[in-house]
Amino acid sequence: MNPELNPRLRLLASVSLFALIVLCVAWETVVAPVRPGGSWMMLKALPLAFPLRGIVRGNLYTYQWAAMLSLLYLMEGVVRAMSDPAPLSVLMAWGEILLSATFFLSAIFYVRPAKRAARSQRA
């Protein structure tokens, strides 16, 4: 492990990704589903589960592509916060915005020192 990498950012990224998965599943099954009784929309959390192992282990490549993936959830949160009529759904959308932005920023700033070191090594 690179000593320049911040373990707090790694923990923040891991926790925010896991919380985003839980929020997506809870939102579409229990809290404010599109249809009463839950919906297949909970499957939107599935792509977030793929990078979870690499994020917890600190795999830099996983951080890079998962950060880009989280932007899709940020966009969905913004769209649903502005367009959903149900107040509880809007609240969940703001939670999705917060968690996906937190994951994105912590992932980017976690990887940043390693990318700089690699760039300076090539030069």
Side-chain angles (χ1 to χ4, degrees), residues 6-20 52 55-56 63 98-110:
N6 188 334
R8 288 184 181 154
L9 287 174
R10 181 177 169 183
L11 177 64
L12 182 61
S14 299
V15 169
S16 60
L17 179 61
F18 184 74
L20 184 58
L52 189 57
I55 296 298
V56 170
Y63 273 83
L98 178 68
L99 289 172
S100 57
T102 300
F103 174 75
F104 177 79
L105 292 172
S106 60
I108 293 299
F109 286 119
Y110 178 73

Side-chain angles (χ1 to χ4, degrees), residues 34-106:
V34 175
R35 288 190 205 123
S39 73
W40 286 98
M41 283 285 290
M42 73 174 179
L43 292 178
K44 73 180 183 184
L46 191 59
L48 292 171
F50 291 122
L52 189 57
R53 182 177 179 191
I55 296 298
V56 170
R57 290 184 172 193
N59 184 322
L60 296 179
Y61 180 73
T62 305
Y63 273 83
Q64 292 175 43
W65 68 262
M68 298 303 115
L69 176 67
S70 72
L71 293 176
L72 294 172
Y73 293 85
L74 180 68
M75 287 188 314
E76 186 215 10
V78 169
V79 167
R80 290 189 69 180
M82 300 300 157
S83 64
D84 273 3
L88 194 52
S89 189
V90 171
L91 184 63
M92 296 299 285
W94 280 106
E96 185 177 39
I97 292 167
L98 178 68
L99 289 172
S100 57
T102 300
F103 174 75
F104 177 79
L105 292 172
S106 60

